[in-house]
Amino acid sequence: MKVSAEETLGILDIDRALSRVGGDLDFLRELVGIFQAACPALLDNTREAVACGDVHAVERTAHLFKAAADSVSATKIYDAALQLERMAQVGRLQRAPEACQSLERELALLSPRLAAFENALWSA
């Protein structure tokens, strides 16, 4: 299955992801798998931190999400996590529930595209 630029526009930067790993498809497949495996726990931890109003935990989980998203060039996930991280850094979590929902929405949009991207990598 080929993944078109239109399918990933604004969600995944495929060229950047490949460039970051020096074109090593095996390594990129591994990163994608790690990202997919980490997301459920990261999301649960982020939700819990937001629900508790724990600025330190929100900052930490958002930072981890941001790093994970950056490793696979998932640009919108990165941006959503950055927004949450910045809220926590200034100690203002009033809008964190909405930001967390935005992160969840972006993950829901990313999942099928990431699966198609991973399938394309396996066929390459």
Side-chain angles (χ1 to χ4, degrees), residues 45-111:
N45 292 341
T46 303
R47 284 183 190 130
E48 184 178 330
V50 167
C52 293
D54 184 339
V55 293
H56 299 295
V58 171
E59 182 178 5
R60 184 176 53 256
T61 60
H63 184 77
L64 289 171
F65 237 126
K66 192 177 72 169
D70 196 37
S71 73
V72 296
S73 298
T75 54
K76 289 197 174 191
I77 301 298
Y78 179 93
D79 291 343
L82 177 62
Q83 181 184 15
L84 258 175
E85 183 181 36
R86 287 182 176 161
M87 287 177 188
Q89 287 171 338
V90 296
R92 295 182 184 234
L93 296 181
Q94 294 85 351
R95 301 200 65 198
E98 293 86 4
C100 191
Q101 288 174 347
S102 175
L103 182 62
E104 289 180 61
R105 277 191 304 276
E106 293 304 331
L107 277 170
L109 290 171
L110 175 68
S111 291

